[in-house]
Amino acid sequence: MNASGIRPPERFALRAHPHLYEINTWAWLEQLTARLGRTVRLMDVPDAEWNALAQRGFDIVWLMGVWQRSPASRRIALADPANVPLYDRALPDWKPEDVVGSPYAVAQYVPDPRIGDWNALDAVREKLHARNMALFLDFVGNHTALDHPWTREHPQYYVQGREEDFRKDPSSFTRVETPGGAYFLARARDLYLPPWKDAAQLNHFEPRMRAAQLADLRTIASHCDGVRCDMAMLHLHDIFEKIWGHLLSGERPPAQEFWTEAHAALPGLVLLAEAYWGTEQRLLDLGFSFAYDKDLYDAVRDIRISEVRERLAAGIGYQSHLVRFLENHDERRCADVFGKERLASVAALMGTLPGMRFYHQGELEGCATSLPITLRTGAPVSPDPAIAALFENILRVTKENAFHEGAWNLLPATPGGDATSGNLIAYEWRSEGQWKVIAVNLSDVPSEGQIRFGERALPAQEYVFDDELNGVRYFRRADDLLRFGLFVRRDGFGAHLFDVAPV
């Protein structure tokens, strides 16, 4: 026990380049309820569900959205006409009671009654540990729900405007009545988007608020192994001051960044940053273990191959801490974005790169319809057999030690018979007894090139390249590999995932 009476979390040892699975917890429990014909909360989830995730090779389960939802957020979501077409698509016969509010407008850091209680979270954590998996939860540190108790009890914790500001721009402020009078709290926002209607902006320069937040984080940390920190870069002093400096009345930033304090207070807690705007390295330097690689996702999506290669040319020490994904609850479904034509290549790429490999509930089944996070459930969707088989194959292969303990190298692709080698991304993983070579054509045209392995020793005379993605084998002599490299030709959006072994 620590001084606050909270048991600090035991350090959970993640393997290198771990696999994370994000679960929309409320929707998942509703799906299990419908399937099993009884109300399912966290405590009631069958062990078979956790077993299935362990068998697929996941290291981390992120239970997204376990905290108490906000009635105000629910009312705002119901009243917003922009949500109607989104709800219609995800749940055609939806009713008002299907709207439960946003998990990112947290009313309190206690489990929502629909999800369970603290004991249920602890029981799930123990079950995951028994299967060598870690539990991650959310921390939404930039803002709270409009009806969070702090808005009435501690309005000084928030960025505030004047009544005149509220009258001029009511969409950017909310009026809160307290025993001490009326306050006009700023609605949260980032640098580029309009204010979020259901969130009040915390003042990151307010020492008492920071102390209260650290207390919340300690409580969360006592029930999990890591936290995914929503919009983590908005805490950074310069970004916060850029957005809110005009309302801070000369307040100065504290001596340390908040994340430095958080990491020092909870060194055993794994911090995962939702990060944008090139802030990844800064957040890693402040104590985060992992940060979103949104730039790589955007470059892959938009077929900016030179940018993909530039991102992958970074040092392995940096890349090992980046989060690689094809979708999450903030992005469109990858089956919708990439379609079947492109999915094999991008799935092979993102599933075999260094760093955290991030998968989202529904992605592995080929779900093409996004589920709004304010809905409690979506319409049943049948898995796409081809997409499901693709992901199962990639997960099966990437459970192997080479993709976690091996050495990674980006490999050059030089021209073969034409000028298309620049469309190829190639790299290898080597560990004792294993050699994997991946070559991906990110373009829509047939492309070819010579994959060069440098002057590394190849002790055998001949090697078999077993393509575990496409089920074909190729035999190559070692002296040809050293002199000429491996000739690769792939149709548009094609990929190889080779297991290489001596004949």
Side-chain angles (χ1 to χ4, degrees):
M1 293 283 196
N2 58 27
S4 64
I6 295 173
R7 175 175 58 84
E10 300 171 4
R11 181 180 292 274
F12 188 93
L14 290 172
R15 64 178 173 171
H17 317 292
H19 293 182
L20 177 145
Y21 188 69
E22 177 190 357
I23 293 176
N24 182 328
T25 312
W26 195 311
W28 185 53
L29 295 177
E30 292 290 343
Q31 292 162 9
L32 290 174
T33 293
R35 194 175 83 205
L36 299 177
R38 56 182 173 83
T39 301
V40 176
R41 293 183 173 82
L42 267 184
M43 192 71 85
D44 312 312
V45 172
D47 285 351
E49 299 294 325
W50 310 121
N51 293 340
L53 293 173
Q55 288 163 5
R56 283 172 151 176
F58 286 104
D59 304 279
I60 302 163
V61 175
W62 168 22
L63 292 179
M64 189 275 288
V66 304
W67 306 125
Q68 190 174 102
R69 304 281 174 120
S70 156
S73 173
R74 178 179 179 273
R75 289 193 297 271
I76 290 168
L78 266 173
D80 189 346
N83 286 333
V84 173
L86 304 178
Y87 297 166
D88 287 344
R89 185 179 182 206
L91 189 64
D93 58 348
W94 70 276
K95 301 174 179 61
E97 53 266 32
D98 293 317
V99 179
V100 294
S102 171
Y104 294 99
V106 175
Q108 289 191 85
Y109 283 109
V110 296
D112 195 281
R114 175 61 187 92
I115 307 297
D117 56 19
W118 291 117
N119 290 333
L121 280 177
D122 292 340
V124 166
R125 186 184 181 203
E126 289 182 12
K127 289 184 177 186
L128 293 177
H129 283 194
R131 293 160 176 81
N132 205 31
M133 293 187 289
L135 173 64
F136 278 28
L137 301 173
D138 289 295
F139 178 63
V140 188
N142 180 64
H143 51 266
T144 72
L146 299 180
D147 47 358
H148 188 288
W150 287 355
T151 61
R152 298 177 303 280
E153 298 168 6
H154 301 288
Q156 70 275 13
Y157 286 2
Y158 296 85
V159 174
Q160 297 181 26
R162 300 167 298 171
E163 185 171 4
E164 179 184 354
D165 299 318
F166 174 69
R167 288 177 177 170
K168 285 182 178 177
D169 187 6
S171 66
S172 295
F173 297 89
T174 183
R175 179 187 176 110
V176 176
E177 296 291 344
T178 76
Y183 290 84
F184 302 92
L185 309 185
R187 296 180 193 263
R189 61 181 293 265
D190 69 13
L191 278 169
Y192 302 106
L193 296 174
W196 300 315
K197 298 176 181 180
D198 59 356
Q201 177 64 50
L202 291 164
N203 183 352
H204 300 311
F205 290 177
E206 165 54 52
R208 290 165 296 180
M209 189 284 292
R210 289 165 65 110
Q213 264 200 336
L214 279 176
D216 277 342
L217 194 53
R218 287 189 183 93
T219 300
I220 296 168
S222 66
H223 299 278
C224 67
D225 306 295
V227 289
R228 182 267 193 184
C229 300
D230 185 69
M231 300 293 280
M233 71 286 177
L234 294 183
H235 285 74
L236 296 174
H237 290 165
D238 59 326
I239 291 177
F240 177 72
E241 192 162 30
K242 185 173 183 179
I243 301 172
W244 300 110
H246 64 291
L247 293 175
L248 294 181
S249 302
E251 291 179 67
R252 302 304 304 158
Q256 286 188 313
E257 295 277 4
F258 173 78
W259 298 120
T260 302
E261 294 183 27
H263 179 60
L266 295 159
L269 184 68
V270 180
L271 298 176
L272 189 168
E274 180 191 19
Y276 307 113
W277 315 332
T279 57
E280 299 90 346
Q281 185 64 67
R282 289 181 62 190
L283 292 166
L284 294 173
D285 290 342
L286 294 176
F288 279 87
S289 295
F290 300 98
Y292 277 31
D293 193 355
K294 179 66 159 57
D295 286 346
L296 179 66
Y297 168 80
D298 289 344
V300 169
R301 181 197 60 205
D302 299 338
I303 317 182
R304 302 195 301 266
I305 301 172
S306 61
E307 291 183 31
V308 173
R309 185 174 289 104
E310 182 180 352
R311 296 288 293 177
L312 300 185
I316 186 65
Y318 173 58
Q319 291 199 64
S320 297
H321 297 283
L322 296 178
V323 180
R324 270 64 196 261
F325 55 85
L326 288 176
E327 67 171 69
N328 56 57
H329 67 261
D330 290 313
E331 305 290 348
R332 289 165 50 204
R333 291 288 193 180
C334 65
D336 181 33
V337 172
F338 298 99
K340 285 187 180 181
E341 182 187 26
R342 295 181 62 192
L343 201 52
S345 63
V346 296
L349 180 81
M350 293 298 197
T352 59
L353 287 176
M356 178 182 284
R357 298 153 192 157
F358 180 120
Y359 294 90
H360 180 218
Q361 181 187 5
E363 175 181 353
L364 303 180
E365 294 74 33
C367 181
T369 302
S370 297
L371 176 65
I373 57 176
T374 51
L375 276 186
R376 68 178 182 89
T377 191
V381 177
S382 298
D384 182 296
I387 293 177
L390 168 68
F391 279 113
E392 284 301 319
N393 192 24
I394 290 171
L395 287 171
R396 176 187 59 80
V397 172
T398 54
K399 283 195 293 186
E400 296 181 44
N401 282 339
F403 291 99
H404 300 276
E405 306 301 330
W408 181 84
N409 292 294
L410 185 65
L411 300 173
T414 58
D418 58 24
T420 58
S421 61
N423 297 328
L424 300 175
I425 300 292
Y427 47 92
E428 65 179 354
W429 289 93
R430 290 203 193 199
S431 65
E432 187 174 350
Q434 283 192 313
W435 185 15
K436 305 287 185 177
V437 175
I438 296 89
V440 180
N441 179 6
L442 290 179
S443 78
D444 61 352
V445 299
S447 301
E448 61 185 45
Q450 301 286 151
I451 308 302
R452 304 287 182 169
F453 299 106
E455 307 213 351
R456 299 177 189 84
L458 295 178
Q461 291 186 341
E462 189 175 13
Y463 288 85
V464 56
F465 284 73
D466 185 359
D467 188 343
E468 298 179 284
L469 193 63
N470 302 293
V472 293
R473 300 176 118 202
Y474 306 90
F475 292 86
R476 296 291 184 268
R477 292 183 56 81
D479 55 357
D480 289 338
L481 292 173
L482 290 173
R483 289 174 61 198
F484 308 115
L486 174 70
F487 178 76
V488 168
R489 187 182 192 280
R490 285 277 80 190
D491 289 337
F493 305 127
H496 286 300
L497 204 172
F498 290 122
D499 177 77
V500 188
V503 175

